[in-house]
Each structure stands twice: as structure tokens, then as C-alpha cells.
Amino acid sequence: MKPIKISYDKYSHNQYKADLRRVERLLNDFFAIADKYIKTEDKNAYKGNLYKTFLTNVEAKYRVNFPIISVEKMCDFLEIPAHQLSKISTDVKAVNIEIDYNTLKAKEPDFSIYATTKDEIEKVLQLQPLLKELNNLLCSGKRVYPMDICRGLNNTIAYDTTENTFIPSVNYILHSHRILG
């Protein structure tokens, strides 16, 4: 049977957006600093480890000027904020988002919640006629108390306040104790 979309995980979507904005800001900060010392035309080359790749490129560019000292000492002499770059690199690595460093775009995952098993799909299909009638009642102009209806139906349906419609209850469909959206 084909999975049926029953809800949308708004919390995870908002968390993903916040993480994406944070990574974009961190990468912009990192490359703004790095560009002062080396050219970073292909930023995707830094994907493995931002800081280590940066140090490798610094060493390749400045080794002739500093033949016998370590890369860290080279950074000190060049007044490169290595600790700041290291911190940014660690923070980017901590957020688990696959992002293109050149465009700062990422493929957004699907945050929809689906009924996938036969029992779950049957529950959704059984609720569809009731949901259709209740949503028609909402549009009729009569006074309706959605939360009382949800409670009266033992929370087998839910009321989506953003769309002003009745929807299948995720907890009822999935037998989950998590409360979403």
C-alpha cells in the first residue's frame, strides 16, 4: 500500500532551518577570515575538515617564507586567528547538515509524517469521510468548537490551527505517545 501523509513535523523543520542558518553564518565567517590569507575559490574542497584543509593551504602558500617552523607558528607570525577558525570548524562539523559550501544551499529533507503500515493506512481511510464532513461543517458558518469535537472523538482526530481544518491525529494513527505540531 502507498504511504499516506498524515501530518508535518513543524518542530523538526524549524530546527533544521535554524541549523541551516547557523551553518551558513559560520561558513561565511570562516571564509571571510580565510580569504584574507589564501584564495578559497572552490570552497567544497574544504568539506572534509575546514580547519585542517585551511592549514594545509596556508602551509603550501607560506612554507617558502618559513622553512623550519610548524604551521601553527606560521599562523602566529601571520596573525591568523587560528583558534577562531578551529572553533568555527568544530561548530560546523557539530551540525549534521549536508550543505554545498560554494552556494550555501542544502537539500531539504521531507518532514512529513506518513502512515505506512496496513493498519495505519486503514485508520486514515476510515477517518477520511468524518474529516470531510467536519471540515465542511467548519466552512458552513455555524459555530463549531473544534477542541470539544476532538475530545468527544477521544482524540482520534486533531485540529490544525494553522490551516483551520480537522486532520487525523498522529498519536492515534501511529500509536505514538509523542505530541507533534
Side-chain angles (χ1 to χ4, degrees), residues 11-169:
Y11 174 78
S12 295
H13 180 255
N14 291 340
Q15 185 64 44
Y16 172 81
K17 288 291 191 185
D19 288 346
L20 183 61
R21 283 190 302 272
R22 182 167 188 255
V23 168
E24 288 172 356
R25 182 181 48 79
L26 288 169
L27 288 173
N28 282 332
D29 291 349
F30 182 90
F31 288 116
I33 295 168
D35 280 338
K36 294 176 185 175
Y37 304 99
I38 58 170
K39 293 282 187 197
T40 57
E41 288 140 3
D42 182 20
K43 295 174 180 157
N44 282 328
Y46 289 77
K47 270 193 175 185
N49 186 337
L50 281 169
Y51 183 63
K52 188 175 182 180
T53 306
F54 174 75
L55 288 181
T56 303
N57 289 339
V58 165
E59 183 176 22
K61 182 174 182 180
Y62 295 105
R63 178 51 70 190
V64 290
N65 299 338
F66 305 97
I68 57 171
I69 62 173
S70 69
V71 179
E72 290 79 14
K73 287 293 182 189
M74 269 192 249
C75 290
D76 287 344
F77 281 118
L78 295 169
E79 297 180 355
I80 297 173
H83 292 292
Q84 185 178 0
L85 292 174
S86 176
K87 172 85 170 89
I88 292 172
S89 177
T90 303
D91 290 348
V92 168
K93 197 183 297 184
V95 179
N96 192 17
I97 293 180
E98 186 63 36
I99 188 169
D100 184 325
Y101 286 9
N102 289 321
T103 62
L104 298 179
K105 301 291 181 203
K107 183 180 178 200
E108 187 170 307
D110 184 12
F111 294 102
S112 299
I113 300 170
Y114 294 94
T116 55
T117 67
K118 183 180 177 185
D119 292 339
E120 293 169 355
I121 292 172
E122 285 176 5
K123 286 180 185 179
V124 172
L125 294 176
Q126 288 171 351
L127 287 175
Q128 291 301 330
L130 175 63
L131 293 171
K132 181 179 177 188
E133 290 303 318
L134 288 172
N135 287 325
N136 286 339
L137 183 63
L138 283 173
C139 297
S140 70
K142 297 187 190 245
R143 180 165 286 202
V144 177
Y145 299 96
M147 297 309 156
D148 291 339
I149 292 172
C150 293
R151 250 190 327 273
L153 292 170
N154 202 21
N155 292 317
T156 56
I157 64 170
Y159 183 69
D160 184 358
T161 56
T162 58
E163 299 289 325
N164 295 324
T165 59
F166 288 102
I167 58 173
S169 169

